Amino acid sequence: MKPSSLILISILFGISLLGIAIQFFPEIDLYASGLFYKKNIGFALAENPVLSFLHELATTGSRILGIALCGILVFAAIRKSAWNIPARTWLFLLCMLLIGPGLVANALFKDNWGRARPREVSTFGGNAAFTPPLIPQPSFRANGSFVAGDAAFGFSLPAFAVIAPPIPGHKKTSQTTGRKPRPWSKWIFWAGITTGFAFGYTRLAMGAHFLSDVIFAMMIMLAVMALLQTAFYGKRTTLQYWRCWLGISSRE
C-alpha cells in the first residue's frame, strides 16, 4: 500500500471514529458550530454569497443530475449503452442518487429524525434543545438537521467512479463494462469525497448542520453505495473497485 493511500484511509477512518465519538461527547458538535457563531450576530456566514451558491449548486445540481441520468438511461436502454457505458451502470448511478440522498438521507432521516439545526438550538440563540446525533426527536420537526442533505448528495458522487473500471494493471477488459481498466477511477472517487466535505463545510458554516450530520452523511452514503454495488455487480467486483479506490493491492 502506498503511503498516500494509507494517509487517505487513515483520514476516512479517523473521521468516522470522530462521528461515533460525538455521540458520546456531543460537546464536539457544539464546539465545531461555535467556531462560526458570534454572539449578537449569529452565524455570520449564513448569507455569504459563495456559500449560498454552493448550497444552491447542491440542491439544484442533484435535481438536474437526476433528470439527466433518467434521459441517459433511456438512451442506453435503447442503444444497449451510452458512450460505451452499459445501461446497467447508468441504472446503478440513478439508483444511488435516488436511494442514497433521496430516500435514505432525506425521506428516512431528515424528515423523521427531527434533530434541531445549530441555528435553532438555545446555545446559538434558538429555542430548541440540543441533542446528540443518534437520538431521534421525531416530534420536533421534519427536514431536520440529521443527516446533512447537501453533503449526502456530494458523498453519493463517488459512485461515478464505476464509469472508469479500476483494477490497476489488469490487462483483461472489465467484467462490468467490457472496457480496459482506467486508473483515474480512483481520482473520481476521491473527488466525490472532497465534494461531499465541501458541501458539508458550507452547511456547517451557515449554521444549518452540525459536524456529526456531515460525518454520518458520509458513512451512510458510502455504505449505501457499497450495498448497491454488490447488488449490481457482485461481491468480487465490488471489492476490486474498493481496493483500487483505497489503494489496497489485490492479487489476481
Side-chain angles (χ1 to χ4, degrees), residues 105-120 131 133 137-138 140-150 203 207-210 213:
N106 284 281
L108 179 61
F109 284 107
K110 289 178 67 65
D111 287 344
N112 294 284
W113 209 254
R115 189 187 194 193
R117 297 174 183 270
R119 61 190 178 217
E120 296 170 335
T131 56
Q137 300 289 325
F140 175 65
R141 60 167 294 171
N143 192 27
S145 186
F146 187 86
V147 290
D150 288 11
R203 301 300 278 157
H209 286 289
F210 290 104
D213 298 328

Side-chain angles (χ1 to χ4, degrees), residues 8 161 183-192 245:
L8 291 174
W184 42 267
S185 175
K186 180 178 180 179
W187 298 107
I188 297 176
F189 176 85
W190 287 103
W245 295 336

Side-chain angles (χ1 to χ4, degrees), residues 62-156:
S62 61
R63 297 189 181 102
I64 294 175
L65 182 59
I67 295 172
L69 285 174
C70 286
I72 296 172
L73 177 59
V74 172
F75 177 83
I78 296 173
R79 299 291 299 272
K80 305 293 185 178
S81 67
W83 297 288
N84 293 323
I85 299 170
R88 179 173 62 167
T89 298
W90 295 112
L91 178 60
F92 163 72
L93 294 174
L94 180 60
C95 287
M96 180 62 207
L97 183 64
L98 294 178
I99 296 176
L103 180 61
V104 176
N106 284 281
L108 179 61
F109 284 107
K110 289 178 67 65
D111 287 344
N112 294 284
W113 209 254
R115 189 187 194 193
R117 297 174 183 270
R119 61 190 178 217
E120 296 170 335
V121 302
S122 57
T123 306
F124 302 120
N127 299 315
F130 168 77
T131 56
L134 299 183
I135 298 180
Q137 300 289 325
S139 61
F140 175 65
R141 60 167 294 171
N143 192 27
S145 186
F146 187 86
V147 290
D150 288 11
F153 168 61
F155 289 126
S156 72

Side-chain angles (χ1 to χ4, degrees), residues 156-232:
S156 72
L157 297 179
F160 279 82
V162 301
I163 290 177
I167 321 175
H170 203 286
K171 295 182 180 180
K172 298 181 180 179
T173 56
S174 170
Q175 295 178 353
T176 61
T177 64
R179 297 183 297 130
K180 292 183 178 180
R182 296 183 182 180
W184 42 267
S185 175
K186 180 178 180 179
W187 298 107
I188 297 176
F189 176 85
W190 287 103
I193 295 292
T194 302
T195 302
F197 280 119
F199 286 151
Y201 169 82
T202 295
R203 301 300 278 157
L204 175 66
M206 297 175 77
H209 286 289
F210 290 104
L211 175 61
S212 59
D213 298 328
V214 177
I215 294 175
F216 277 101
M218 177 196 73
M219 296 168 66
I220 293 170
M221 290 305 101
L222 292 183
V224 170
M225 176 179 164
L227 290 173
L228 279 176
Q229 266 189 289
T230 303
F232 271 80

